[in-house]
Amino acid sequence: MSESNPCLACGACCAHFRVSFFWGECQSAGGIVPDDRVVQISPHLVAMQGTESKPVRCVGLLGEVGCGVRCALYEHRSSTCREFEASWTNGEHNPHCDTARAAYGMPPLTPPLQPHQVPDRVA
């Protein structure tokens, strides 16, 4: 993650949603997610510890939500985490990002400003 990534000043998604995924992503099954960081929630699904019940806070989240955070498991995170993007990443709005931010009193992210485009002149 780069320093300009809004996630590094947020972390709300890691402290709001259950992070569940197929157990095959765990290291014991050949995946990358450490087994000792998940809990079984069904025969085929696991969840990151700390996200399986309220209050939610992923075991991998370090720092204070809304101030400065990072993921201690970033290189070993699940597909659920890899696929979740902050709003306006790649130009797309993510209403789930807005929901998590709102739960912590943060405003939604806004799209980046676009430079004013001047139409081509026709001769």
Side-chain angles (χ1 to χ4, degrees):
M1 285 188 178
S2 75
E3 290 300 319
S4 64
N5 186 321
C7 299
L8 294 174
C10 183
C13 59
C14 305
H16 184 71
F17 298 115
R18 182 175 79 180
V19 181
S20 57
F21 50 96
F22 179 60
W23 67 269
E25 292 188 48
C26 293
Q27 288 176 340
S28 61
I32 61 170
V33 181
D35 291 49
D36 64 347
R37 301 298 182 173
V38 301
V39 294
Q40 187 107 30
I41 57 171
S42 79
H44 302 289
L45 293 177
V46 294
M48 293 303 300
Q49 284 181 353
T51 70
E52 74 278 12
S53 61
K54 300 285 183 185
V56 172
R57 184 174 173 104
C58 181
V59 68
L61 182 63
L62 301 176
E64 186 178 337
V65 174
C67 293
V69 295
R70 70 180 184 88
C71 176
L73 302 168
Y74 190 75
E75 295 301 321
H76 302 282
R77 68 196 190 282
S78 71
S79 61
T80 303
C81 300
R82 291 176 188 276
E83 293 167 5
F84 192 95
E85 294 185 329
S87 272
W88 308 112
T89 300
N90 299 318
E92 294 183 27
H93 177 236
N94 180 352
H96 299 295
C97 175
D98 295 349
T99 298
R101 290 177 61 84
Y104 285 87
M106 292 183 279
L109 296 174
T110 56
L113 295 175
Q114 299 296 319
H116 181 69
Q117 295 181 350
V118 178
D120 292 331
R121 292 184 180 205
V122 178

